[in-house]
Each structure stands twice: as structure tokens, then as C-alpha cells.
Amino acid sequence: MIDRETFVELMSGVCAPVTVVTTATTDGRPHGSTVSSFTSLSLDPPLASFALDRGSGLLPHLHQGARVGVNILAAHQHALAASFARRCPGTGSKFDGITWTTRAGLPHLPDSAGWTAGRVERHVPGGDHVLLVISVEEAHSTPAAPLVYLRRSFGTYSGLPAGG
């Protein structure tokens, strides 16, 4: 087995989309976290997935059947990514001071490059993380450049010459 540092270094070279996954409690309180593991899983039926650390404050709100939104961040939203990546101290909320709306009954971050909403189908244990499989019920994309994470930095996609 490889050591942790070698694995982290390898994975830092994998370009990942930056998203903010959101949900709301029955009393309407918003919850969210930055996630860079969002991916499509199946076309028929439409399924997506993402992973959360077992210690994530968002995970307890995403039980099977829970509604969940995924804001695919745009290139200019790196400050939102950093804000939602932090742990929220005390009784504060990551949404404090953030402009957000409600879409499909879920917290939505305006000006994102894309949006999807659905329900948690299942949890799949994966070491120190849990993979959540989502049944996609709504999707919207825009031509905005997406925010990506590569080599421990935020950026966006640009066409690269092949084989270079």
C-alpha cells in the first residue's frame, strides 16, 4: 500500500469540478459544503455521485431519500468554494453573508455554471469517506466557465494541446 502523501500528490494532479452541495432541514435552515468529487454515474436512470468525509457536518442531513442540490461553481466563484470548505464554528451558518436563493426547495447559489437537484438513493462506505448516489430530478447548465481544482489551486478549464 502507498503512503498517504504519495496518494495525495497523485490525486492533486487530477482536475476536479468544484461544487457546493446543499440541503435544507425541515425548518428551512440551509446546509452546504464544498465538494470536488461530483461526477455522473448513470444515464439510465440519471444518477450522479459525490463523496463526503465521514466527519462532514453536511452528511447527517443527507440520509436516504433526502433532497440535495449541487451548485456547479463558475470560475469567478472561488471565494464561495473557500467559504463553504471551512468548518462552521458554533451556531453560525456557512450561508451567513452569502447571497443565495431557493430553487426546487433547496439552497441555490446564483451565477453558478450549473445546477442539479435530486434525492439521495444510497450511501456507499469508502474508507474515511461516504459515497452518496443521487437520483437526478432536475438539471440546468449555462455556458459559464466552470471552477476546477488542480494541484491545490482553483482555476478553470482551458483547451490544452494534446501530447504536450
Side-chain angles (χ1 to χ4, degrees):
M1 190 126 90
I2 66 171
D3 62 85
R4 178 183 172 99
E5 291 76 27
T6 300
F7 186 64
V8 167
E9 185 60 30
L10 170 72
M11 296 311 295
S12 78
V14 176
C15 191
V18 181
T19 66
V20 172
V21 173
T22 63
T23 194
T25 55
T26 54
D27 64 358
R29 184 174 169 169
H31 296 274
S33 187
T34 299
V35 172
S36 61
S37 58
F38 179 69
T39 190
S40 62
L41 183 61
S42 169
L43 292 175
D44 188 18
L47 300 173
S49 68
F50 60 88
L52 290 175
D53 184 285
R54 289 185 181 274
S56 167
L58 181 60
L59 187 57
H61 302 289
L62 295 179
H63 53 81
Q64 187 173 353
R67 301 209 54 252
V68 61
V70 180
N71 298 271
I72 301 165
L73 297 186
H76 69 278
Q77 293 179 305
H78 57 275
L80 280 176
S83 180
F84 279 91
R86 66 176 168 75
R87 297 236 184 243
C88 193
T91 59
S93 169
K94 292 181 182 181
F95 288 84
D96 291 347
I98 302 291
T99 299
W100 63 283
T101 62
T102 300
R103 184 170 184 165
L106 295 162
H108 174 257
L109 301 173
D111 301 323
S112 294
W115 161 260
T116 188
R119 293 194 183 275
V120 176
E121 286 288 316
R122 62 186 157 277
H123 289 194
V124 180
D128 58 3
H129 280 65
V130 175
L131 183 72
L132 289 88
V133 176
I134 307 303
S135 175
V136 177
E137 299 172 344
E138 178 181 327
H140 175 75
S141 61
T142 73
L147 184 64
V148 297
Y149 193 69
L150 177 68
R151 303 223 186 276
R152 298 174 188 85
S153 296
F154 293 119
T156 194
Y157 170 81
S158 65
L160 301 174

